[in-house]
Amino acid sequence: MAVGIVPFGLIVGITAEPVVGSAHAVFMSAVIVAGASQLSTIQLLTDDATWVIILMTAMVINVRFLLYSASLEPHLRRTTRIARFAMSFFLVDQIYALSLSSFTNHPNRRHAAWYYWGLVTPVFTVWMSSSVMGVVLGARVPDSWGLGFAVPLVFIALVFPAITDKATRASALVAAIVGILAFSLPFNLFLPVAALSGIAVGMSVEARNA
Amino acid sequence: MPDALLIVLIALGTFALRASFIAILGENGVPKRLRRGLRFVPAAVLPALFINQIVRTDGQINLASPQFPAALVALVIAARTRSILWTIVTGLVAQAVFMKVL
């Protein structure tokens, strides 16, 4: 279960270390706890993007947590607000997928919070140890190995599970094409422009097929 | 902006997204229209993030780089296996091979 987190944590550590240094690289994994947005941040820091673009890109990548939060809310309602804030902090993809399937299959709400913490403990431990391991490796691996290329590779791996039908496929293709064409816009604005074009086309393809 | 401050801002924003319904808004749920648009976010954002990393070198279109053919290999592997680990491993190995050849 937690095994899928290991390569992610390693790559986040390895690629962040040369860009922001060891301390900040570990700090990032500890407080953001969202690998894809950390990788986009690292990539954009390397490209000297402005902080508005870096922050916006990270938020857009992480906007999926809004949906996770909405879908888990009914199952965690019985705990105190402070406990719910604490649980929210650790709401990563794996925790969401595993806890939702368990809550749906066993609607035993009395133990939902304990189950949730039972998932968080191993997942967060593995996440932090693999990030730290990556930081240690990142300081040792020579630049000539080209490990920075792992960042786009992770995005490539993540895009296919996101393409589930005609509309999402259209969305991805349009975003890629607009991304290339709009690249010369200032402040890395090609990112929001490409993403919004992709979303707009995806929605219109979906509306036409509905 | 110092990196630490940027990291804290991203962390706070991410935390706010996660806490939104669980701890702040409660049982209202995501409005349907917003949910329709949000569905396309991963499919649209990820290609925008990686496409220029694979078709450009130092900002210029360059399909003769070791990264472009390596990315094509990785795309095929990712489509077939859906595995982050295998995509990274084959992509990095392919890059190393093309660095020697090209």
Side-chain angles (χ1 to χ4, degrees), chain A residues 118-142:
Chain A
L119 289 174
V120 166
T121 312
V123 166
F124 191 70
T125 308
V126 170
W127 166 248
M128 283 316 294
S129 4
S130 52
S131 298
V132 170
M133 227 146 50
V135 169
V136 174
L137 285 174
R140 277 146 214 258
V141 173

Side-chain angles (χ1 to χ4, degrees), chain A residues 1 10 26 32-33 37-38 72 78 90 120 126 132 134 147 166 176 202 210:
Chain A
M1 155 193 85
L10 283 175
V26 175
I32 300 177
V33 209
S37 63
Q38 291 172 230
L72 285 190
R78 286 206 182 172
F90 297 99
V120 166
V126 170
V132 170
L147 285 191
K166 217 163 136 189

Side-chain angles (χ1 to χ4, degrees), chain A residues 67 162 164-172 175 195 198-207, chain B residues 34-47:
Chain A
L67 293 176
T164 50
D165 56 11
K166 217 163 136 189
T168 42
R169 194 182 318 132
S171 189
I199 292 167
V201 168
M203 286 177 82
S204 67
V205 168
E206 186 183 53
Chain B
L34 182 64
R35 192 184 280 267
R36 265 196 65 214
L38 288 179
R39 184 169 96 78
F40 291 98
V41 168
V45 171
L46 294 165

Side-chain angles (χ1 to χ4, degrees), chain B residues 6 37 46 76:
Chain B
L6 180 64
L46 294 165
V76 173

Side-chain angles (χ1 to χ4, degrees), chain A residues 3 11 13 32 34 39 46-47 54 61 65 67 75 82-83 95 100 104 117 129 133 142 144 150 154-155 164 172:
Chain A
V3 175
I11 292 301
I32 300 177
L39 290 177
T46 320
D47 296 346
I54 301 178
I61 290 177
F65 295 136
L67 293 176
H75 304 285
I82 290 180
I95 303 274
L100 184 70
T104 316
W117 286 114
S129 4
M133 227 146 50
S144 62
V154 171
F155 295 142
T164 50

